[in-house]
Amino acid sequence: MPSTPPLPLRAAAPTPGTRIERKERTRQRLIEAALALLGEGRGYTSLSLREITRAAGVVPAAFYRHFRDLDELGLALVEMGGVTLRRLLREARRDGIPPTDMLRGSVLIYKRFVEERPLVFRFIASERGGGSPVIRAAIRTEESHFASEMAQDLRALGTLPDLSSASLQMICGLVVATMLNAASDILDLPPGQPTPEHELVENFVRQLRLVFLGARHWREA
């Protein structure tokens, strides 16, 4: 009796999440391609969609599955620098840490984070004062979020208890501005030279201490 021919194999069902993961990888490739072009010394406003997709190895039409336009890609770059850094700095402000240690710890966390993402922070530094109005507004919003979270944490820790919420927000805004201004100095540090690095950290800590020293003597108008 002839044997029954084997049934044709059915195609394996796609693994759950595979399409989502593939889409996320493509999105990340577009972000990394934009950063790589910025790393060549290009300004963000000079980049074109076609050269970003070419560098990412995808067709131009694929760009629109992830971003509406180049401004939206720029917003993703701003978010890359902001969300994780805010979480790390909140951890540095946890209860029980003396203020001096908190400042130094925050400076060291910030410095390390900037050094690990140099292209993101060069992008933020350049776009903060020019370029797309949409991206400038996003950076200002991110600065405001930083200042608000810092003000909430300092209020919870009982730091500067005599200041009004508006004044505390203003002080924290000065701290955030000082941090962002320091990003370029951090990125310009000569590699393998501990003395300039130590001097930069100490100067950065002194600047922040001066802000808080002035805040303690601030009188509400």
Side-chain angles (χ1 to χ4, degrees):
M1 186 174 181
S3 60
T4 304
L7 294 173
L9 294 174
R10 296 177 61 186
T15 305
T18 296
R19 182 175 177 275
I20 295 173
E21 291 169 359
R22 190 163 55 243
K23 184 175 181 180
E24 180 57 31
R25 283 196 298 270
T26 302
R27 183 180 186 274
Q28 191 60 34
R29 283 165 63 187
L30 290 166
I31 290 172
E32 290 172 357
L35 287 173
L37 291 168
L38 292 173
E40 297 173 359
R42 301 281 303 278
Y44 189 74
T45 54
S46 73
L47 301 185
S48 71
L49 183 151
R50 286 190 174 276
E51 62 184 333
I52 291 174
T53 53
R54 184 167 58 247
V58 300
V59 297
F63 181 93
Y64 295 106
R65 301 188 193 115
H66 305 275
F67 305 105
R68 287 193 300 269
D69 51 28
L70 289 176
D71 275 346
E72 191 168 274
L73 173 56
L75 297 182
L77 295 177
V78 174
E79 186 178 13
M80 279 181 68
V83 174
T84 304
L85 179 58
R86 278 159 49 197
R87 177 179 60 79
L88 292 172
L89 291 176
R90 293 204 84 167
E91 291 174 1
R93 296 192 296 267
R94 67 185 183 275
D95 196 3
I97 299 178
T100 302
D101 293 344
M102 188 190 303
L103 280 180
R104 186 174 298 279
S106 297
V107 166
L108 293 175
I109 288 171
Y110 178 67
K111 175 179 173 294
R112 183 167 61 250
F113 192 80
V114 170
E115 289 172 334
E116 289 172 352
R117 294 160 178 79
L119 295 177
V120 172
F121 278 88
R122 288 203 185 278
F123 162 78
I124 291 174
S126 65
E127 295 300 309
R128 188 174 172 229
S132 162
V134 173
I135 296 174
R136 281 204 310 275
I139 294 172
R140 285 197 297 270
T141 299
E142 198 63 37
E143 289 183 50
S144 179
H145 287 162
F146 267 104
S148 295
E149 289 182 358
M150 185 182 300
Q152 291 169 12
D153 290 347
L154 295 181
R155 184 68 79 201
L157 292 170
T159 307
L160 304 172
D162 297 330
L163 287 184
S164 68
S165 295
S167 292
L168 188 58
Q169 179 84 12
M170 177 186 68
I171 296 301
C172 292
L174 288 173
V175 172
V176 173
T178 301
M179 293 171 64
L180 287 176
N181 289 336
S184 296
D185 293 335
I186 293 170
L187 294 172
D188 289 340
L189 279 170
Q193 296 188 27
T195 299
E197 181 176 340
H198 175 76
E199 290 174 351
L200 182 142
V201 169
E202 293 306 310
N203 187 53
F204 195 179
V205 172
R206 282 194 295 269
Q207 288 181 40
L208 295 181
R209 288 181 64 188
L210 185 59
V211 170
F212 283 103
L213 179 63
R216 291 191 190 97
H217 296 279
W218 177 258
R219 295 293 177 265
E220 304 287 348

